[in-house]
Amino acid sequence: MNKTHRGLHPRSKVDEYTSKGWWSEETIDQVFRTQVRVRGDELAVVDPANRSELSGGDPRRLSWNQLDSEVISLAARFSEVGLSRGDVLGVQMPNTVELVEVYLAAWSLGVVVSPLPMQYREREVEGMANQAAFAAFVTVPSFGDRLPATEIAAIRSRIPSLRSVFAYAPASELPAELPAGVDGLSPQAATETQRSELDRRNTEDPNDPNDAMTICWTSGTESEPKGVPRSHYEWLAICWATIDAPDIVVDDVLLNPFPMVNMAGINGMFLPWLRTGCVLVQHHPFDLRVFLGQIEAERVTYTVAPPALLWMLLADESMLAAVDLSSLTRIGSGSVPLQPPMVRGWQERFGIGVINFFGSNEGISLLSSPADMPDPDDRARYFPRFGVENFHWSTRISDWMDVRLVDVVTGKDITEVGQPGELRISGPTVFAGYLGDRPSPFDERGFLCTGDIFEIAGDHGQFLRYLDRGKDLVIRGGMNIAPAELEGLIAEHPAVADVAVIGDPDEVLGERVAAVVTLRPEAELELDALVAFLKDKRIASYKLPERLEVRKELPRNSTGKILKRELRQKSVA
């Protein structure tokens, strides 16, 4: 039994952050119980509209009281098989009502949730299960044409720590027979005995906010994924960023299209819903027709979407004309640089402010909101530089975070505009360290070394501008080129739907710039035309692509990030 995920942060840090009011003794399960008391019979969570296509069942809609009852029942059944505080529960489920229940039931017992994307197969699941020593695993009996419960049963013997495997779904979706060693569970209302027992446990042995709540996983775009334990303290601190920026309130309806496996899904949607008590509408897997239909049918007020999708929608007049988006008042986006014309287009045509987010599982949380940056061009390009004198930002975490840029060669702090450096952060949103025997990600001053390259910008040095991942840089003839900068410019070309910039090996220069793109329907693009387009942007000539490759699609991992290692492998072959 693995009980190593207790007390993640030293007492000195806990005392410092609690004395400043950045952390409190509150835990996620307490937040949920508060919403149940306050919201009661109000609508809480809604299934994907296409659930029947995913699992064969009908979509469900639960009030806070109904959700609470099923959570208590599930927690009781977890407890019956011996799951308790500090155990790790692997979870591989689509965005459904039941996924919400599994998380809340586990956390009510102090069990650590380790969520895995549905795209992961046996190899990835086995590796992560053994890294984190999963005590139990919850999945679904079927997902489209896959049988996830059967998949985990096939590798169970190769995960020594695994004591229990569950298939959790409504009774109508559970097959008559499950694989050997897999127990079927279906949502049920709690008994009074189950409710009393959980109340007793919460009173006599409440959760510790310094204990791990999740073990999420880095996306593994360049190397083996790393486990990222995060405590109640950290999650409850960082969620204020994704509440404050879109100004989420109890009357909002959130549409969640991101898998609830990392910062985007958990902190971008799940925690703001839980903290404010609004309505959470689930969506999975991404389907544009279903997504737009849910906005209209559920009267969604806030959602998040990838930049490429927002750009594509803006250019598709017929699609926008066919759906009522009048309830939508703001949209979150990010993960890659936003195109200024896209952000400006949504604001000028629809009055919708696109919020620019930049985050990580480790605890980065930069955000550009309309309140702080009314100019959409600024909002697309920049993030607030927390801590600059005479500048106050609307999100409360801006007063909690210590942010600096460091020259990756000299190790000296950068304070001048326009000089690239690694972003390093410290504060109550930052995790304590990776799972297992991994090198420390912190520098000698205790700052998280993010590996992300930014530069200071703005007339008063009040902004940060993202350049690229440090290890993503293309180095051509000794000159550093940030692919993300080029990708943002190339994405503005009317023929381009998606883009990745990589370095081609070169014996003389080290690397040469290559652009790999997908094109819009019926569009064509040649290298000369792309170079001419970029020259009009007045960029340095050494940044111009020397090779253009057109593909039908770009390889992506389960969280949507482009797998540049696959592009590089194929470009070298």
Side-chain angles (χ1 to χ4, degrees), residues 479-525:
M479 301 297 290
N480 290 348
I481 300 169
E485 177 189 19
L486 268 181
E487 288 163 353
L489 294 173
I490 293 171
E492 294 182 23
H493 192 287
V496 173
D498 205 358
V499 57
V501 169
I502 57 174
D504 282 347
D506 185 84
E507 291 183 0
V508 177
L509 295 173
E511 289 181 302
R512 293 180 182 270
V513 178
V516 186
V517 303
T518 64
L519 300 179
R520 299 186 187 279
E522 310 302 324
E524 296 180 355
L525 184 63

Side-chain angles (χ1 to χ4, degrees), residues 68-117:
D68 178 54
S69 184
E70 294 186 3
V71 164
I72 292 171
S73 175
L74 182 58
R77 284 178 279 177
F78 283 162
S79 184
E80 288 169 4
V81 299
L83 283 178
S84 60
R85 182 182 296 179
D87 281 330
V88 181
L89 176 68
V91 180
Q92 189 180 33
M93 299 177 67
N95 282 353
T96 59
V97 167
E98 289 79 44
L99 178 61
V100 174
E101 293 177 346
V102 168
Y103 285 4
L104 293 171
W107 293 330
S108 70
L109 300 174
V111 170
V112 185
V113 168
S114 185
L116 307 180

Side-chain angles (χ1 to χ4, degrees), residues 2 4-5 128 131-133 215 217 226-229 431 433-438:
N2 183 1
T4 61
H5 309 295
M128 294 177 185
Q131 275 197 63
I215 299 174
W217 301 88
K226 298 186 287 289
V228 181
F431 83 140
Y434 292 113
L435 182 70
D437 186 20
R438 300 276 188 172

